[in-house]
Amino acid sequence: KGCRTDTALDLLAEMKAAGLQPDVITYSAAISACEKGCRTDTALDLLSEMKGRGLQPDVITYSAAISACEKGGRTDTALELLAEMKGDRLEPNVITYNAAISACEKGCRTDTALDFLAEMKGRGLQPNLITYSAVVKACYDAKIYVDALDKAREAVSMKVVPSMILMSSEVPKWDLHLLSESLSCMLLSDALLTVIDTRTHESQSFKDVFVITGRGLNTVGENGPVLKEKVPKFLNEVAGLETSAVEGNEGRFLITGETLQQWASS
């Protein structure tokens, strides 16, 4: 299970040298090791080799190979393997679809990612956090914010993604710590729209809101944390909402009640 790809491949070579014939389980484990070690070409070579030996890849084999392609940026190959798998009358599972959708996200194939989400639900499979994170990111990166927001809301309604965490305080605080960049931007926008709609209909004044970014989940880039830079930038440039830095605390920013009032009136 640890990332010991070279060791796994050495053991496979040793097994062959001893005259033992690898079976489907052995090849699947080796391909999975290649996936974890980002050895896409080797994974595909092993897949071809096992088929050349007359072995039929199963769902686990194909899922690992598709995931290897996703990690190696080989979107077209990943989709070809999925089609091949279906042609072999094997039923993709959640892991298979997650790998294919993630490959689409990395390969800027947003429409295909959305199609796979619909397809897996049509097959009675339950999308999970990995599924929705990839789909929302695909839409977000393509600047299709309507679809990104729709899928983020759907993920919350399905209880696979945490909703905005409103911490109890006289001054509202929204915590993004458990969310990725794309989910943070979408769910924060949704929460702000809900607040504006509620306050406007009830004729209530707007309060200041603190947004806690911290480092976020898988959002640390080469130059440090991402959320504290990207979320305010999204609100400023895309949503047209001004934010303010909080002196002495780089892990949060402020949206004033006055700013929210102006935004609601615009």
Side-chain angles (χ1 to χ4, degrees):
K1 298 288 185 179
C3 193
R4 301 280 297 274
T5 304
D6 289 337
T7 302
L9 296 178
D10 287 344
L11 288 172
L12 179 61
E14 185 179 311
M15 179 180 183
K16 294 176 186 175
L20 299 173
Q21 295 299 318
D23 59 11
V24 173
I25 296 174
T26 309
Y27 274 111
S28 296
I31 291 171
S32 181
C34 292
E35 174 260 318
K36 291 178 174 60
C38 299
R39 300 276 290 273
T40 305
D41 288 339
T42 306
L44 293 174
D45 287 344
L46 289 172
L47 179 64
S48 178
E49 179 183 304
M50 71 178 291
K51 289 190 287 186
R53 289 173 176 261
L55 296 173
Q56 174 61 53
D58 60 13
V59 174
I60 295 173
T61 319
Y62 274 114
S63 297
I66 292 170
S67 186
C69 291
E70 175 260 318
K71 290 190 175 177
R74 302 274 290 273
T75 301
D76 289 339
T77 306
L79 300 186
E80 289 169 5
L81 289 175
L82 180 60
E84 180 182 305
M85 176 183 180
K86 293 175 182 176
D88 289 340
R89 298 188 178 182
L90 294 172
E91 291 289 331
N93 58 21
V94 173
I95 295 172
T96 316
Y97 275 111
N98 283 350
I101 290 171
S102 293
C104 291
E105 175 257 308
K106 288 182 172 61
C108 303
R109 302 280 287 272
T110 308
D111 288 341
T112 308
L114 290 168
D115 288 343
F116 283 151
L117 176 63
E119 182 180 303
M120 70 183 293
K121 290 191 291 184
R123 290 173 178 259
L125 297 173
Q126 174 64 57
N128 58 22
L129 177 58
I130 295 172
T131 320
Y132 278 109
S133 294
V135 170
V136 172
K137 189 174 188 303
C139 297
Y140 176 83
D141 288 346
K143 299 187 184 337
I144 309 175
Y145 298 122
V146 172
D147 284 342
L149 181 57
D150 177 64
K151 297 311 174 190
R153 287 170 171 166
E154 183 179 302
V156 171
S157 71
M158 299 289 288
K159 301 187 186 303
V160 298
V161 170
S163 59
M164 287 293 306
I165 301 173
L166 178 60
M167 301 174 67
S168 298
S169 173
E170 190 172 322
V171 178
K173 297 184 181 72
W174 281 330
D175 192 348
L176 306 180
H177 272 94
L178 298 178
L179 302 173
S180 64
E181 176 193 340
S182 52
L183 283 169
S184 291
C185 291
M186 292 300 99
L187 293 181
L188 179 57
S189 299
D190 189 41
L192 290 168
L193 290 170
T194 301
V195 166
I196 286 175
D197 184 62
T198 302
R199 297 281 179 179
T200 302
H201 278 86
E202 296 179 359
S203 300
Q204 298 180 16
S205 60
F206 291 93
K207 293 183 178 181
D208 293 350
V209 174
F210 282 100
V211 180
I212 304 169
T213 58
R215 289 172 56 146
L217 180 63
N218 296 324
T219 53
V220 180
E222 293 181 359
N223 299 317
V226 172
L227 289 186
K228 70 176 185 180
E229 303 291 342
K230 294 297 181 88
V231 177
K233 183 178 180 180
F234 174 84
L235 293 178
N236 296 340
E237 297 181 1
V238 178
L241 179 63
E242 292 185 8
T243 62
S244 305
V246 177
E247 187 176 351
N249 192 330
E250 295 183 357
R252 63 176 62 189
F253 63 87
L254 172 68
I255 305 172
T256 66
E258 182 180 357
T259 298
L260 283 172
Q261 181 67 61
Q262 293 173 351
W263 194 53
S265 303
S266 64

